[in-house]
Amino acid sequence: MPGIDECLMEAMTLPGARGASLVDWNSGLALGTAGESPVGDHEATAAETAELARAAAEFDTFTAAAEETGAAAGEDPGPPVEDLIVTTRAGYHVLRFVRTSFDSSVFLHLWLDRDTGNLALARIRLADLARRLVLG
């Protein structure tokens, strides 16, 4: 089971990976980073992506159906949103929420080059990394 640094280095092996980070969406702080930042500053990127993650995780539009499904299945609700994908002309940003034993307020952010990245593979691998990530 990888820790933060190992997880981010593994994310950087994905085709087209430009940068990766683990972010706490409550505080907007990067808990770890690897590679580049789209704006040249990992902390600014963490704060900006945290705003997006917080909105998705707190708005009823995105959380209502997820909470009902999780409650019906008897699962730990964790973050109601699994991942967010933002596409730009030059790349993809994938935010994958991580379930934790505490407050589940962290997510993995992967920035991919649009020409060389594989969005489907990135989603699958980030889900696996989020599941295996050891925090603490």
Side-chain angles (χ1 to χ4, degrees):
M1 294 189 168
I4 294 171
D5 291 336
E6 294 83 6
C7 177
L8 296 175
M9 293 313 294
E10 190 172 332
M12 289 300 296
T13 66
L14 287 163
R18 307 244 351 239
S21 59
L22 182 70
V23 179
D24 178 328
W25 56 268
N26 282 326
S27 67
L29 295 176
L31 305 176
T33 63
E36 304 173 60
S37 162
V39 295
D41 179 357
H42 284 288
E43 289 305 325
T45 298
E48 291 171 0
T49 56
E51 288 295 319
L52 180 61
R54 186 174 18 262
E58 293 176 353
F59 286 145
D60 290 340
T61 298
F62 304 117
T63 62
E67 288 174 354
E68 290 173 15
T69 304
E75 298 175 355
D76 169 26
V81 177
E82 289 182 351
D83 53 30
L84 297 171
I85 299 169
V86 176
T87 61
T88 66
R89 290 186 181 126
Y92 303 113
H93 296 266
V94 183
L95 282 62
R96 178 67 189 199
F97 289 82
V98 179
R99 285 184 183 223
T100 63
S101 59
F102 46 99
D103 65 359
S104 294
S105 65
V106 297
F107 63 90
L108 289 165
H109 170 222
L110 178 64
W111 176 37
L112 294 170
D113 179 81
R114 189 173 185 126
D115 292 332
T116 58
N118 182 324
L119 188 54
L121 178 61
R123 286 192 66 227
I124 292 167
R125 295 279 301 278
L126 280 182
D128 181 55
L129 284 172
R131 199 171 22 261
R132 294 185 298 124
L133 177 62
V134 175
L135 298 173

